[in-house]
Amino acid sequence: MKSRRFLLGLALVAVLAAAQTQAQAAVAPPIQAFAQAPVEVRVPAPPRPTVASDGVTHLAYELHVSNFYKDTGALILRRVSVYADDDARPLASFVDAQVNDLLAHPADVARGGVPVEGGGRVVLFLWLDLPAGARPPKVLRHQLEFRPPAGPEQLVDGVRTPVDAAPPIVIGPPLGAGRWLAHEGPGNHLSHHWGSPVAANGRVTIPQRYAIDFFGLDGAGHAVRAALDKLTESTNADWAGYGAPVLAVADGVVRDARDGQPDNRPMTSPPAPAELTARSLMGNFVVLEIAPKAFVSYAHLQPGSLTVKTGDRVKRGAVIGLLGQSGAANAPHLHFQVTDAPTFEESEGLPFVIERFDYLGRERVSDALDQTTKVSPAPPSARRDQTPLDGDVLEFR
């Protein structure tokens, strides 16, 4: 995978659509109608139920599907059905083109399933909605149907993963008062965050599964004062969020930090990272341990702005630095994530909920960049213990 997938910068992406319909299809055909497929299917990181800003409880996880034998030829993955515990009807079912939509890089045109080459692997990104009022399942089980090069269709049945019963991590606001756009945020597997697995030291993990790029917005809902055709001429000071105070989201201990890296010029490509680590990607950063196996990372901070160093104890709400544009970033913003390890590599992204914020609707990043676009925020709606989703506009007080 090319390193540019990990540039923590501005990307214009489409919101997950067809795959999120989660059509409630009929029960899958009887198992005896299929031959067994020579396929390995596994879930590297069990999902943890989390309530998002849409009021729905979601499960986010990945299926790694490997066509084990090279001489099998391409198997076409035509259906993925997910069942909660021992339910007979699927919680969600994805068929043909909907399976294609579960990829981080879907085919440009809808197609009848996803080819898994002999000896190859595909990664499917699942974002499931739990029924309103339903208790989260204890186990998810999966059926996958394949069309082989010749012969009857094949099946993988019974692939199970436990659902992590631990509650999501509750945090305070990561930024000071103001209006913020949650860009490339949770729920969007097409983003450079969730859609970017990291292979390092024999493991494949997704540190940015729930990561958010927070862009500051002015009162008109715009991120930058410059005209759309002159963004490359803008300065960091033209961006609404630049220099905003970055806050400790909980009491904790600084486990890693770096200062002194220069800010980039807005809307220019930063140098390609030499490796996929915090020091090659994050510029000036702080990693804060807020609980056992819970680490908060703040990236792209302004040079000279850090108020903490490794080993310091900080209190929730303390200013730890200022929003900048250092590292692998091409516009001023705060990259924010929670993981189970202090390093970027070999860590899994963890879900979190923000204790309190105001929700002002949704906004496209293209509108935030265009001064000629009229943005009409929704009336503020107070939210408690929810996860912001990709495209949400929030206000912290």
Side-chain angles (χ1 to χ4, degrees):
M1 181 174 296
K2 295 181 179 179
S3 60
R4 65 172 179 271
R5 290 283 296 144
F6 299 89
L7 298 184
L8 307 179
L10 201 59
L12 305 181
V13 297
V15 176
L16 180 62
Q20 300 294 47
T21 62
Q22 298 183 1
Q24 296 299 314
V27 177
I31 294 175
Q32 59 267 26
F34 296 87
Q36 287 189 352
V39 168
E40 178 197 49
V41 181
R42 60 187 185 88
V43 179
R48 184 182 298 186
T50 308
V51 179
S53 60
D54 57 3
V56 176
T57 300
H58 299 279
L59 297 171
Y61 65 105
E62 304 82 44
L63 283 176
H64 288 220
V65 182
S66 300
N67 184 354
F68 195 77
Y69 301 108
K70 186 173 183 179
D71 58 3
T72 298
L75 298 174
I76 307 301
L77 177 55
R78 295 198 56 247
R79 180 192 292 267
V80 177
S81 297
V82 186
Y83 298 82
D85 296 320
D86 294 322
D87 289 351
R89 293 184 64 85
L91 174 65
S93 190
F94 308 91
V95 181
D96 291 339
Q98 293 175 324
V99 179
N100 173 60
D101 289 332
L102 298 178
L103 299 174
H105 300 284
D108 292 335
V109 295
R111 57 185 180 184
V114 170
V116 187
E117 300 296 334
R121 172 190 292 185
V122 298
V123 179
L124 307 179
F125 296 79
L126 283 83
W127 178 262
L128 305 183
D129 302 345
L130 296 185
R135 294 174 63 88
K138 295 181 179 179
V139 174
L140 297 176
R141 54 192 176 88
H142 304 80
Q143 282 187 5
L144 290 80
E145 298 173 22
F146 298 87
R147 184 172 64 245
E153 296 206 342
Q154 299 177 351
L155 182 76
V156 169
D157 179 68
V159 176
R160 294 174 176 263
T161 184
V163 174
D164 189 345
I169 297 162
V170 181
I171 62 172
L175 289 153
R179 188 174 297 181
W180 303 95
L181 173 64
H183 181 54
E184 301 273 80
N188 180 8
H189 73 285
L190 302 178
S191 76
H192 69 285
H193 288 156
W194 188 13
S196 295
V198 176
N201 198 29
R203 295 182 62 198
V204 176
T205 61
I206 302 185
Q208 304 176 97
R209 185 177 288 108
Y210 296 92
I212 296 176
D213 285 345
F214 285 105
F215 284 85
L217 300 176
D218 62 21
H222 297 127
V224 59
R225 288 192 292 268
L228 186 62
D229 61 351
K230 296 185 180 300
L231 291 182
T232 56
E233 301 174 19
S234 67
T235 67
N236 285 317
D238 290 325
W239 291 75
Y242 186 74
V246 175
L247 309 180
V249 296
D251 295 354
V253 179
V254 177
R255 295 304 184 194
D256 199 2
R258 182 174 69 168
D259 202 346
Q261 301 299 302
D263 276 333
N264 303 315
R265 286 181 53 84
M267 305 307 290
T268 59
S269 297
E275 54 186 357
L276 301 175
T277 65
R279 278 169 171 72
S280 63
L281 295 169
M282 292 187 173
N284 304 310
F285 67 88
V286 173
V287 178
L288 184 65
E289 183 177 14
I290 61 172
K293 294 186 177 181
F295 299 85
V296 177
S297 295
Y298 307 80
H300 311 318
L301 303 179
Q302 200 177 113
S305 73
L306 268 65
T307 64
V308 297
K309 62 183 183 303
T310 302
D312 284 354
R313 293 186 176 274
V314 299
K315 291 292 187 180
R316 172 174 160 163
V319 176
I320 60 175
L322 301 178
L323 186 149
Q325 198 204 332
S326 57
N330 59 6
H333 69 278
L334 173 69
H335 174 86
F336 180 86
Q337 65 186 44
V338 182
T339 59
D340 64 358
T343 54
F344 182 84
E345 67 282 11
E346 295 188 75
S347 67
E348 292 285 8
L350 299 178
F352 59 88
V353 294
I354 299 177
E355 188 176 69
R356 181 177 303 184
F357 61 90
D358 286 342
Y359 173 78
L360 283 74
R362 300 178 60 78
E363 184 176 338
R364 297 181 304 178
V365 69
S366 56
D367 291 339
L369 296 177
D370 188 352
Q371 285 283 326
T372 66
T373 301
K374 181 177 177 56
V375 179
S376 301
S381 173
R383 301 301 175 90
R384 295 294 299 269
D385 296 337
Q386 292 186 348
T387 300
L389 295 176
D390 181 46
D392 282 355
V393 177
L394 318 176
E395 196 163 58
F396 299 130
R397 298 185 183 278

